[in-house]
Amino acid sequence: MASSSTPPDEGTNSGSATTEPGTAETSDADSAGGTGPDDTAEERRRTIRYGIAAALALAGVGQLLSANLFVTDGWWRMMLTVSAVCTAVGVVQFLPQSWHNRLGALAVTFATVAGIVPLFLVEPEDDSPKVDPLVLASYVERGPFDQELPDPLQPEGLTSVNIGRDAGPTKLTAVELKTGIDPKIGVYLPGDDGEETFQIGAYLEIYPKSDDAKKRGEASMKDLALWDIPLDPDQGVESYCFQGVASKGATAAYWECGGARGDSFASVTLTPGDNAHLGLARDTVTALLNYADSMARKATPTN
């Protein structure tokens, strides 16, 4: 009678044993299937890191190219190069840890190349002797004028002048070239309207810096453009001419020509202002600037 009864514990144990495997299988299936929230966040962070690394890589390449191709100042080149090296280090830091060993050598190579390449591309400093503008001004005043003028003009010496505010407050000196005409021709020149009275004013100014001479020429062109007609709308400060408009009763207009070269500025006003005499004005400006160049060679110290 006792053997035919079922112990209460066995029924309970068998039922729990049947339930536990099913529960374990269901839990494993849930964990194996799909992606959890943590995996999605990690994938998003990985994408952001890769994007930052790519942006830094592009920035580093741009800095290195700018330092070697477009920037000439030594300090800016050094700053861009150092920035490119720091950017390369940053790229490695944003990549996965497993990539660090593989990219470490590449980063070192990039940093080495970035530091060495500018040494070959930096232009050597020009240590050639420079003209002394004060000595140049002295030579220009002293003369003699050693250039030929266009025929029939003849040089008759230099004289110091003060040509006023328009010459600029920084000028070191200003001289006028006295000019005559070949005696065989006299005081008249053949022009479009017969013989016309010839007049010319030729001036040369010396400045401490080439930028000052250039600004002087730009100011002259700006003033002339208010009243006169430019010979060429695209002419530059190195050489320009304007044709003055003849007033009522005048037999001829005039030419206003000028040019800046180095530390010097030259200007010429010539009457008559017809096309036949344009060359006289332009060539006289050239002769004045060539004279300044010849005096600059004397004012340049030799090693």
Side-chain angles (χ1 to χ4, degrees):
M1 294 294 293
S3 60
S4 61
S5 62
T6 303
D9 294 340
E10 289 181 7
T12 304
N13 292 339
S14 62
S16 62
T18 304
T19 303
E20 288 177 0
T23 304
E25 289 175 2
T26 303
S27 176
D28 292 343
D30 291 340
S31 61
T35 302
D38 293 341
D39 294 337
T40 302
E42 179 61 27
E43 182 66 24
R44 186 180 299 110
R45 286 193 294 269
R46 186 182 299 111
T47 302
I48 294 174
R49 287 201 306 270
Y50 287 172
I52 295 175
L56 287 175
L58 291 175
V61 172
Q63 291 168 349
L64 189 60
L65 290 176
S66 298
N68 294 323
L69 299 178
F70 306 110
V71 178
T72 57
D73 182 77
W75 284 104
W76 277 107
R77 277 189 167 184
M78 182 180 68
M79 292 175 62
L80 287 173
T81 301
V82 171
S83 179
V85 172
C86 294
T87 302
V89 175
V91 170
V92 175
Q93 296 304 315
F94 276 98
L95 293 175
Q97 186 68 31
S98 60
W99 291 28
H100 286 188
N101 293 335
R102 286 178 288 178
L103 293 181
L106 180 61
V108 172
T109 303
F110 177 83
T112 303
V113 173
I116 293 177
V117 169
L119 298 178
F120 296 95
L121 297 179
V122 172
E123 297 180 359
E125 295 184 359
D126 184 9
D127 57 354
S128 59
K130 301 295 189 301
V131 60
D132 187 330
L134 291 174
V135 178
L136 170 60
S138 177
Y139 275 118
V140 166
E141 292 176 349
R142 187 186 312 172
F145 186 82
D146 58 357
Q147 302 294 315
E148 292 185 1
L149 295 178
D151 189 63
L153 304 183
Q154 294 181 339
E156 296 182 347
L158 297 164
T159 179
S160 296
V161 294
N162 183 0
I163 55 180
R165 177 182 57 82
D166 291 339
T170 61
K171 71 177 183 299
L172 298 177
T173 190
V175 296
E176 180 182 5
L177 175 64
K178 297 296 184 180
T179 307
I181 302 178
D182 188 338
K184 297 178 181 179
I185 296 179
V187 295
Y188 296 99
L189 288 176
D192 295 340
D193 299 324
E195 290 188 340
E196 299 172 317
T197 303
F198 172 79
Q199 294 179 342
I200 184 172
Y203 303 92
L204 178 65
E205 305 165 26
I206 304 299
Y207 289 84
K209 298 182 298 183
S210 59
D211 287 344
D212 296 331
K214 183 178 180 180
K215 290 178 181 178
R216 168 69 172 102
E218 291 172 346
S220 174
M221 293 181 65
K222 184 177 180 180
D223 291 340
L224 292 173
L226 297 176
W227 309 104
D228 301 332
I229 302 172
L231 178 66
D232 184 351
D234 297 326
Q235 58 191 350
V237 70
E238 297 82 8
S239 178
Y240 61 87
C241 283
F242 287 77
Q243 188 175 37
V245 180
S247 59
K248 292 183 179 180
T251 58
Y254 55 88
W255 286 110
E256 291 273 6
C257 297
R261 184 193 302 167
D263 300 335
S264 58
F265 168 77
S267 62
V268 170
T269 302
L270 185 143
T271 301
D274 48 34
N275 294 334
H277 300 117
L278 172 61
L280 294 180
R282 302 182 74 170
D283 292 346
T284 302
V285 170
T286 300
L288 288 168
L289 295 175
N290 289 343
Y291 168 67
D293 288 343
S294 68
M295 295 297 106
R297 288 190 289 271
K298 293 183 180 180
T300 303
T302 57
N303 294 331

